[in-house]
Amino acid sequence: MRRKLPGDAPLSAAGPGHALSASAPSEVDLAQLSAAIAAGEDLGPFVRRAFACGRPEPLLASLRGAARDREAEIEELCRAHFHDFIRAVDDLRSLLADADALKGSLSASHSALLSSAAPLLASLESFLAARSLAGNLSSALASSRRCVRLLALAARANAHLQAGNHGLYLALRAVDAIDRDLASGPEPLPLPTLRRMLLSVVPAVRAHAEREISREFSDWMVSIRAASRHLGQVAISRSAAARQRQEELRSKHRPLEECITLDDDGVGDLDDFAAAAATAEAADGAAAASFDLTPLYRAMHIHQTLALGERFKKYYLENRKLQLTSDFDVIAATPFLESHQVFFSQIAGFFIVEDRVFRTGGGLTSRPDVDALWDAAVGKMVSVMEDNFSRMQTANHLLLITDYAALLSATMRRYGYPVGMLLDVLAKHRDKYHDLLLADCRRQVAEALTADKFDQMLMRKEYEYSMNVLAFGIQSSDITPAFPYVAPFSCTVPDICRIVRSFIEDSVSFMAHGGGGDTYAAVKKYLGRILSEVVDASIKKLLDSGSGLSVSQAMQVAANMSVMERACEFFTRHAAQLCGVPLRAVERGRRDFPLRRSRDAAEALLLRLLRAKVDEFMRQSDGINWMADDSPPGGNEYANEVIIYLETLTSTAQQILPLPVLHRVLVAVLAHISERIIELFLNDSVKRFNANAVTGIDTDLKMFETFAEGMSSLFVDSGQESAKNEMKAALVEARQLVNLLMSNSPENFLNPVIREKSYNKLDYRKVAIISEKFRDTSESYFSTFGTRGARQNPKKKSLDTLIKRLTEAS
């Protein structure tokens, strides 16, 4: 932008947008031109307009005039700044002299540098030439050393190959070093002939090593198959010897079991059993060490060195699968009875070798691979045994094969193989036999339960007592009772005892001939099945169906279950006695009551019937006058009838029910009565009640508490110290509610400390509903007459506060 000079005119208001008129320039046009020049605006419109009119001379004259005015201004400006310009020229002249001096100094320094650097440049050229020569010599020496090293590696590989298969790994390492040098060297070998020779030698050595080690591995596969049969026979024979020794030790110590002390009981047996097991395991270890796995490990190592480890693992697994499949064909040519020992021994030896390979092979086989082979073998053995067992008609043949298969299972279990399927097959014929027995016993138990009327059994003669009671050890006392004798159980108990005893005897007889193994353990297992699956299930089915049983009948069933608990102990002792097991060991191994489900169902049915009977009496509470003028002196009618019924019931129950059962039943019934009393207050039909009604309920509750205390003394005398508190605690909810309603300060319920101490069983929601219904007669009907100016009853005020606070809380 042009600097504004002092003589410039101000900008015209017309602006540059106003062009000259089409006629000759007037004074106004010349004034606008002067203003535009003074403002430094574009003069293009003026020029175009002047030439468009064809008269540019006035414009040129105006421009020349403006130029002359500017020249005068410039001259005046230069005159004003002339002295400053002269001083600047003088400064430049002084600087020129200093620049000439500096130029001369630089030229002299340059000449001196050139003269001194000439010898250094000559030395540098000599150094570069020498370094180039040294680099060439070093490269030649490095190439020579590299060739010598590669030739030495080749010679070492050749020497190892001549040493046989033991040197294959070292030869391969030397060849790998040659291959790495050729592949990763900084530059190719300077001798092409040597390079070609080495490149051809490396794959040839590797192929030779693979052929040699594969041939050795094939020979080992043939030898290990022959060794597996012997290994299996040795392992199974050791298992048989260990089992025989254990049986001898049991038979030797069994007669002394009842004579030795408890502290020393079984110590000799455990030591002898441990010694027998250790001997068997040591023998298995010695047999396992008799075969050599070195060729296998060498083959795996060589293949891993050749980067063929995965291929070798697959090759090994496939060949072992083929060997196992061929082992299955042993039984194809000869009858299974004659070839089963060879068949089982071959499989046992095969998997003993596989276990050793898995544990020491360094990942050659994996657990899933071994498990897959074992599953295939087990599947084949299972199918073969099932097929032959189904066609065998001779028990001795069946027992012979079962015994050897059991020894195989015991042997393979020591090596960690799962033998559940084999044991299942061995037990299948045993299970089938016992299943038939169980089905027959189930039918007999059902018939006995159906025929029983669940009345106490009457025995008129001593032989009946001996046959039905003493024979099963279910007597409550060793003193022979007077006859006729009314037993605390019904005829179902001795009938079921006879059925179970017959089952035990049949089971022991079968196990002694064809069961094998631990006879007592198997008999105990099937004893548990008949007690739980037959007896327990049949009784529970009867109880669940209801079958129209009355309270007395349900009580008799509950009494029967307590007697059956003693009978179950007899069954266990009887089975142990038949199997030759010391009774002391049986008592130590005692388990829970196997009929607990039916026992609980019997008690539940009895409670259900008793609660229904109590509910029937409680329905008579409709006759309670909830707004009575006086409280009933002897309590409400329903409470008297319930008390009479409970006293009659307990007098009968004490004769047949055990005290713990009777205690549980009474506590549950009293708790139900307490709940029903609470429900009386909560009943929608009760809109309002007064203090007299509460006093009547208090009287009822005291009657129930008196009954509970009377029964508690019976249980305390029998040694159940906590029975008194439990009986009284069954009525605590109803008692706390009545105490709250009869309290002069019901609002104390709001105090956490008092509520926890005196009202901890009450639900505040129920209290709120019941309190809303509680109104005293005098307060509800006559509070407006005669007492209008008197002070409000404190109890009513406290009750109103309680209702208000509980309503807000809910």
Side-chain angles (χ1 to χ4, degrees), residues 334-400:
T334 56
F336 186 64
L337 182 63
E338 300 176 6
S339 62
H340 72 279
Q341 293 188 1
V342 176
F343 175 65
F344 289 142
S345 300
Q346 188 72 42
I347 292 178
F350 179 93
F351 285 99
I352 292 174
V353 172
E354 283 303 311
D355 177 73
R356 178 84 176 276
V357 171
F358 170 71
R359 289 186 289 106
T360 62
L364 176 59
T365 59
S366 62
R367 175 54 62 186
D369 295 336
V370 178
D371 290 343
L373 291 174
W374 175 248
D375 291 341
V378 169
K380 181 64 176 179
M381 288 188 289
V382 167
S383 63
V384 169
M385 285 191 293
E386 286 183 344
D387 178 61
N388 286 275
F389 285 169
S390 64
R391 292 186 282 106
M392 282 185 179
Q393 303 298 325
T394 304
N396 291 334
H397 296 171
L398 183 63
L399 290 176
L400 181 64

Side-chain angles (χ1 to χ4, degrees), residues 258-527:
E258 301 301 330
C259 300
I260 58 178
T261 61
L262 182 62
D263 293 338
D264 296 333
D265 182 30
V267 175
D269 289 354
L270 294 176
D271 293 339
D272 292 337
F273 291 164
T279 302
E281 292 180 359
D284 291 344
S290 63
F291 61 91
D292 187 15
L293 295 179
T294 303
L296 173 63
Y297 299 153
R298 185 184 298 116
M300 181 185 66
H301 199 188
I302 294 301
H303 281 84
Q304 288 178 344
T305 305
L306 294 172
L308 301 174
E310 293 300 325
R311 192 179 76 175
F312 178 72
K313 291 179 182 179
K314 294 180 180 178
Y315 178 73
Y316 172 80
L317 186 60
E318 290 174 357
N319 278 271
R320 291 295 281 171
K321 286 181 180 178
L322 292 175
Q323 281 192 350
L324 182 62
T325 303
S326 62
D327 292 341
F328 294 155
D329 297 335
V330 172
I331 58 175
T334 56
F336 186 64
L337 182 63
E338 300 176 6
S339 62
H340 72 279
Q341 293 188 1
V342 176
F343 175 65
F344 289 142
S345 300
Q346 188 72 42
I347 292 178
F350 179 93
F351 285 99
I352 292 174
V353 172
E354 283 303 311
D355 177 73
R356 178 84 176 276
V357 171
F358 170 71
R359 289 186 289 106
T360 62
L364 176 59
T365 59
S366 62
R367 175 54 62 186
D369 295 336
V370 178
D371 290 343
L373 291 174
W374 175 248
D375 291 341
V378 169
K380 181 64 176 179
M381 288 188 289
V382 167
S383 63
V384 169
M385 285 191 293
E386 286 183 344
D387 178 61
N388 286 275
F389 285 169
S390 64
R391 292 186 282 106
M392 282 185 179
Q393 303 298 325
T394 304
N396 291 334
H397 296 171
L398 183 63
L399 290 176
L400 181 64
I401 297 174
T402 301
D403 180 68
Y404 206 79
L407 291 174
L408 169 68
S409 301
T411 302
M412 302 315 296
R413 186 190 289 111
R414 288 205 306 271
Y415 288 92
Y417 292 101
V419 295
M421 294 182 63
L422 291 176
L423 297 178
D424 290 342
V425 173
L426 299 182
K428 189 174 182 179
H429 64 288
R430 183 175 67 189
D431 290 341
K432 182 177 180 180
Y433 173 78
H434 285 88
D435 287 342
L436 294 174
L437 280 181
L438 289 173
D440 187 48
C441 291
R442 185 177 292 108
R443 177 184 55 79
Q444 296 176 19
V445 170
E447 292 176 354
L449 291 173
T450 303
D452 192 7
K453 296 181 180 179
F454 296 105
D455 295 327
Q456 290 180 259
M457 188 175 182
L458 177 63
M459 302 177 203
R460 302 182 181 277
K461 302 293 182 180
E462 184 175 356
Y463 77 91
E464 296 180 359
Y465 180 80
S466 175
M467 180 177 61
N468 294 312
V469 179
L470 296 180
F472 308 113
I474 57 177
Q475 67 274 13
S476 58
S477 174
D478 294 335
I479 301 175
T480 304
F483 298 96
Y485 169 68
V486 179
F489 52 82
S490 65
C491 61
T492 297
V493 173
D495 290 343
I496 292 179
C497 290
R498 274 186 284 271
I499 295 171
V500 176
R501 184 181 62 181
S502 177
F503 175 85
I504 293 172
E505 294 171 352
D506 292 342
S507 177
V508 172
S509 177
F510 177 80
M511 294 299 299
H513 292 87
D518 191 350
T519 302
Y520 175 66
V523 172
K524 186 169 64 172
K525 167 189 170 183
Y526 291 115
L527 174 60

Side-chain angles (χ1 to χ4, degrees), residues 139-193:
S139 178
L141 290 174
S143 298
S144 300
R145 284 194 295 269
R146 183 182 177 191
C147 292
V148 170
R149 185 175 66 254
L150 291 175
L151 290 174
L153 289 173
R156 190 186 306 167
N158 190 31
H160 290 316
L161 289 176
Q162 291 177 357
N165 291 342
H166 296 284
L168 287 178
Y169 174 67
L170 297 177
L172 288 176
R173 289 190 61 181
V175 168
D176 289 341
I178 295 173
D179 191 25
R180 286 194 302 270
D181 188 279
L182 293 176
S184 60
E187 57 185 12
L189 284 177
L191 299 177
T193 304

